Amino acid sequence: MIGKERETPLIVLKLEALLRRIPTNHPQRLKIEESLRRYQAGYWGEQSLDYHFNFLKDDDYIFFHGLRLPWINKLFFQIDSLLLTSTCIILLEIKNMVGTIYFDIPFQQMIRTLDGKETSFPCPIVQSNRHVVQLTEWLRKNRFPNIPILNYVVFSNSSVILKTDPIHKHVFEKVLTAANLPNKLNAVRPSYPNIILNKHKIDQLNNQFIQQHVSQDPDVIEKYGLEKSELLTGITCSKCNKLTIIRKNRNWLCPICKSTFTDSHIQLLIDYLLLISPTITNKQFRYFSNLESPSITTKLFQGMNFQSTGTYKNRQYQLSLDQIQHHL
């Protein structure tokens, strides 16, 4: 059962929008492209684990993907995948990496060797153990029973090579490949036979997870040191990827490839929401789209049934990603 679906991270959607809206020669473009590749790889690695979940024997798992919960002092902790059962909770820290990975336990680091180059990363076992502490505290504050919490680091790429010093036996217990995850969980579950959470408590916990989840919503304009005035205006042609679309005969026309569309403004609204603001006015839309007609803009908004506030001249429309995407 899925308690929380795996969703494309907002940071991925925002970086994709940002790359559509900055010049190809922008000094920050290569850095943004590299960041996008990294976040996409992480998301694809998490997605690839879904196949292996099909081999779990028990059918009482409830899966929560990308759960981000409040902790202390306005801080949050995020768990790649949480598996809720009546007898225990399982936390998975998922890594999508290639090369040779060596766990350097004395220095609490992970060293990757790829193409002859060594790169150091924070030890994911430490991060995973921290999530156990944070979730334990969260459960206590929300008055849930003390339940065993198991945690593992899972490498999703089948070509990765994992190494460590043989004396560090806990690494062999905590670190898994994706293919071995079902075997591990099927073997360890019988060690936790006692029911800690009855159906009522599981339903309560399920609801609290969903209610308290807060998606990470970074400001990528600020993150990469940009100004909103640097963003390119215009509507993107979905075929030639040029910001050249114009309005003609109740449709959108690309004068370069001669393609016509009915919904090209929808991608612009998505970009505006992701990069600028969750509210937009008629004037702001016209500036961002290079459309001159206030009446056409009003008709486009009315066709999407946006909620709005204010009078005619200063009316603001409320943008919702789900509502906009519904029109794609």
Side-chain angles (χ1 to χ4, degrees), residues 34 97-101 110-121:
E34 175 57 32
M97 304 178 74
V98 296
T100 299
I101 305 296
M110 180 176 68
I111 301 172
R112 180 183 68 183
T113 304
L114 181 64
D115 298 329
K117 179 182 178 182
E118 287 189 343
T119 307
S120 174
F121 298 88

Side-chain angles (χ1 to χ4, degrees), residues 8-21:
T8 305
L10 263 176
I11 183 66
V12 170
L13 298 178
K14 288 193 169 194
L15 292 179
E16 289 174 341
L18 188 56
L19 289 172
R20 285 191 291 268
R21 293 287 164 183

Side-chain angles (χ1 to χ4, degrees), residues 268-269 272 276-289 291 294 297-298 301 306-319:
L268 177 135
L269 289 168
Y272 190 93
I276 298 177
S277 172
T279 63
I280 190 170
T281 65
N282 188 303
K283 182 178 180 180
Q284 289 167 335
F285 178 87
R286 285 185 282 120
Y287 168 78
F288 204 57
S289 64
L291 180 66
T297 300
T298 298
F301 284 167
F306 290 136
Q307 292 185 350
S308 63
T309 58
T311 60
Y312 176 78
K313 289 186 178 180
N314 60 1
R315 181 166 294 159
Q316 289 192 332
Y317 297 87
Q318 309 294 321
L319 300 180

Side-chain angles (χ1 to χ4, degrees), residues 235 238 247 251-252 261-268 327-328:
I235 296 182
S238 59
R247 189 72 175 176
N251 285 311
W252 299 105
F261 310 92
T262 60
D263 58 0
S264 295
H265 60 288
I266 295 177
Q267 185 63 66
L268 177 135
H327 292 276
L328 284 174

Side-chain angles (χ1 to χ4, degrees), residues 102-111 120-124 126 168:
Y102 177 78
F103 284 86
D104 183 1
I105 298 305
F107 291 99
Q108 298 292 283
Q109 62 182 337
M110 180 176 68
I111 301 172
S120 174
F121 298 88
C123 180
V126 174
H168 303 307

Side-chain angles (χ1 to χ4, degrees), residues 38-90:
R38 186 171 69 252
Y39 285 115
Q40 285 176 328
Y43 177 57
W44 294 334
E46 294 171 15
Q47 282 185 308
S48 69
L49 230 64
D50 295 342
Y51 167 77
H52 299 282
F53 289 145
N54 294 317
F55 295 95
L56 296 176
K57 290 181 179 179
D58 296 316
D59 58 3
D60 64 340
Y61 288 101
I62 303 177
F63 297 88
F64 297 84
H65 302 300
L67 193 62
R68 185 170 180 262
L69 299 172
W71 188 40
I72 56 174
N73 298 329
K74 298 183 179 180
L75 298 176
F76 294 82
F77 64 101
Q78 182 163 331
I79 300 165
D80 291 339
S81 287
L82 181 152
L83 283 59
L84 172 64
T85 78
S86 59
T87 64
C88 65
I89 294 175
I90 300 166

Side-chain angles (χ1 to χ4, degrees), residues 138-290:
W138 185 91
L139 291 169
R140 185 192 66 79
K141 285 184 176 180
N142 287 274
R143 299 181 179 180
F144 285 102
N146 187 22
I147 185 170
I149 301 176
L150 315 180
N151 62 307
Y152 302 98
V153 176
V154 185
F155 283 81
S156 59
N157 196 302
S158 60
S159 66
V160 72
I161 300 172
L162 303 175
K163 292 184 177 182
T164 193
D165 192 304
I167 66 172
H168 303 307
K169 295 183 179 180
H170 73 285
V171 175
F172 300 100
E173 292 295 320
K174 291 289 186 183
V175 180
L176 311 168
T177 61
N180 194 41
L181 176 63
N183 294 333
K184 182 69 174 182
L185 297 188
N186 289 334
V188 77
R189 280 296 306 282
S191 301
Y192 298 88
N194 298 326
I195 295 179
I196 308 298
L197 301 173
N198 58 28
K199 185 181 185 304
H200 176 66
K201 281 295 181 182
I202 286 180
D203 290 341
Q204 282 186 327
L205 185 51
N206 190 339
N207 291 334
Q208 283 299 305
F209 279 159
I210 299 304
Q211 290 177 12
Q212 296 196 36
H213 167 75
V214 178
S215 297
Q216 190 171 15
D217 190 8
D219 183 341
V220 293
I221 301 294
E222 179 181 346
K223 179 180 177 68
Y224 294 95
L226 307 179
E227 298 290 339
K228 291 179 181 178
S229 59
E230 296 182 75
L231 299 179
L232 300 175
T233 60
I235 296 182
T236 307
C237 173
S238 59
K239 287 195 175 180
C240 65
N241 293 321
K242 302 293 184 182
L243 290 166
T244 53
I245 291 285
I246 59 174
R247 189 72 175 176
K248 188 173 183 180
N249 299 329
R250 298 186 178 183
N251 285 311
W252 299 105
L253 169 68
C254 176
I256 294 180
C257 68
K258 308 303 179 184
S259 299
T260 59
F261 310 92
T262 60
D263 58 0
S264 295
H265 60 288
I266 295 177
Q267 185 63 66
L268 177 135
L269 289 168
I270 291 174
D271 290 353
Y272 190 93
L273 170 61
L274 292 171
L275 299 176
I276 298 177
S277 172
T279 63
I280 190 170
T281 65
N282 188 303
K283 182 178 180 180
Q284 289 167 335
F285 178 87
R286 285 185 282 120
Y287 168 78
F288 204 57
S289 64
N290 298 331

